[in-house]
Amino acid sequence: MNRVVITGLGAVTPVGNDVKTFWESLKSGVCGIDTITKFEQGEEYKVKIAAEVKGFDVTRYMKSAEAKRLDLFTQYAVAAAEQAVESSGIRGAVEPERFGVYVGSGIGGMNTFETQHARMLERGPRGVSPFFIPMLISNMASGVIAMRYDAEGPSLPVVTACATSTNAVGEAFHAIKHGYADAILAGGAEASITPISVAGFTSCMALSQNPDPKSACRPFDKRRDGFVMGEGAAILMLEELEHARARGAEIIAEIVGYGNTNDAYHMTAPHPEAKGAAQAIKLALAEAGYTGEDLVYVNAHGTSTPLNDKAETAALKRAFGERAKDLLISSTKSMTGHMLGATGAAEAMATALALREGVLPPTIGYGEPDPECDLYYIPNQAETRPVTLGISTSLGFGGHNACVALRPYRA
């Protein structure tokens, strides 16, 4: 089997539109949550905050004419992919048929959907843009990236709600491990801070109604009351180790395990016994060669919803047993908000950087322990620890559970 390493990263996030800013923000505990600016909100909106991408300039990555034919989620994805390609140095060094793209989106072109629906109501069917469908569909980010970089190999735009980009990274890892590609751009993108999305997530009782941006997202804290919607894109360049070595690539971390399960229980709620989530973690740990001697960092899904954080704590206890008390856990969603289909890749990226530097980002806003969330969640300040294994977990609507495991690269 092939070893799989990370050789490039790209990020467009609520705490920075490049990897350096993203990572420095996480280590410093910078909160990317603020009042929604993307649309006007009346009194009928109970939720008025989100983690928006700020200062994004699409013209750094494409001409304005091209951008007009792409939904915002695809624009974010292209920007993150460009960063990952450039930082990896792989351009011109991989055969097109051995180069793949696994970039998903949980929701897809929601901005396009709302805009074009309004146009149809105003102008009738002929007012709908011929680009409506290509801009809307969730696979278009992968398609546009593949065209941009002549990636003719495996292409799999995963859609598993909040687990989307963890599954994308995990499936790309297995594709390279088993010899189907030499390199794959893997991750996710989302741009769903729109009137109907915010209304919909509010109606299903998922979002925090706390009006204070700095305390609304507090994973594992007893006072948590829902997640805060985020947006952006995160993409990793995964590469077969010998291919990376042959071209002298810088290696950031190694991906060593992956688990993919389903609760088969409920449309939105996690299984109360967390069996599926625990099994995904166990699968990733087994493939990673986990031993009880490993010092483990967990970048938790940690959404700040009452059920999720309780279930995820239970899943970690089921997977690690008595050693769960030794885990070093944080939720970077406390800073980025929940980036939906992009969140898993952003958190896998944070895990890779934490392993490389030995610096573990905190869970900010944590102040009141919950007896049902009784593990160690790295409260409020980053910690420097020599971890030997990192896992990043994601739990999505529809019962989807995903976990990727990483190690510091050793030749």
Side-chain angles (χ1 to χ4, degrees), residues 123-135:
R123 308 180 195 178
R126 292 186 179 183
V128 175
S129 168
F131 294 100
F132 170 50
I133 297 301
M135 291 172 69

Side-chain angles (χ1 to χ4, degrees), residues 299-301 332-333 336-337 342-352 392-394:
N299 191 298
H301 190 56
T332 47
K333 284 186 182 70
T336 67
T343 205
E347 292 158 12
M349 186 180 305
T351 305
S392 178
T393 57
S394 293

Side-chain angles (χ1 to χ4, degrees), residues 9-13 22 76-77 80-81 84 102-104 165 169 185-190 231-236 339 341-349:
L9 300 172
V12 176
T13 79
F22 165 74
Y76 288 161
Y102 283 38
V103 176
S165 52
V169 171
L185 283 163
E190 208 75 81
E231 62 172 351
I235 295 180
L236 294 72
M339 296 166 63
T343 205
E347 292 158 12
M349 186 180 305

Side-chain angles (χ1 to χ4, degrees), residues 130-293:
F131 294 100
F132 170 50
I133 297 301
M135 291 172 69
L136 170 72
I137 52 181
S138 298
N139 68 303
M140 196 49 63
S142 267
V144 170
I145 291 167
M147 288 184 279
R148 189 180 183 99
Y149 300 109
D150 197 24
E152 300 175 358
S155 181
L156 187 68
V158 176
V159 180
T160 50
C162 308
T164 289
S165 52
T166 300
N167 282 132
V169 171
E171 296 297 332
F173 158 62
H174 275 175
I176 297 172
K177 179 177 180 177
H178 293 285
Y180 297 108
D182 292 326
I184 297 178
L185 283 163
E190 208 75 81
S192 296
I193 302 175
T194 70
I196 197 168
S197 287
V198 172
F201 276 110
T202 302
S203 291
C204 71
M205 307 299 289
L207 298 182
S208 171
Q209 296 185 24
N210 182 344
D212 177 17
K214 304 308 176 189
S215 65
C217 190
R218 40 193 174 195
F220 304 106
D221 187 289
K222 188 177 182 179
R223 299 163 296 172
R224 67 192 185 277
D225 70 336
F227 78 80
V228 175
M229 190 181 297
E231 62 172 351
I235 295 180
L236 294 72
M237 179 68 76
L238 274 54
E239 192 169 353
E240 192 273 323
L241 175 59
E242 295 308 319
H243 189 275
R245 280 176 169 169
R247 64 183 189 84
E250 177 187 359
I251 295 172
I252 298 162
E254 182 172 2
I255 301 185
V256 292
Y258 170 53
N260 173 14
T261 67
N262 195 285
D263 287 346
Y265 169 72
H266 191 273
M267 290 176 67
T268 57
H271 194 287
E273 297 177 17
K275 294 189 293 184
Q279 180 64 10
I281 295 168
K282 288 178 181 179
L283 289 169
L285 292 176
E287 189 173 13
Y290 164 74
T291 73
E293 302 303 312

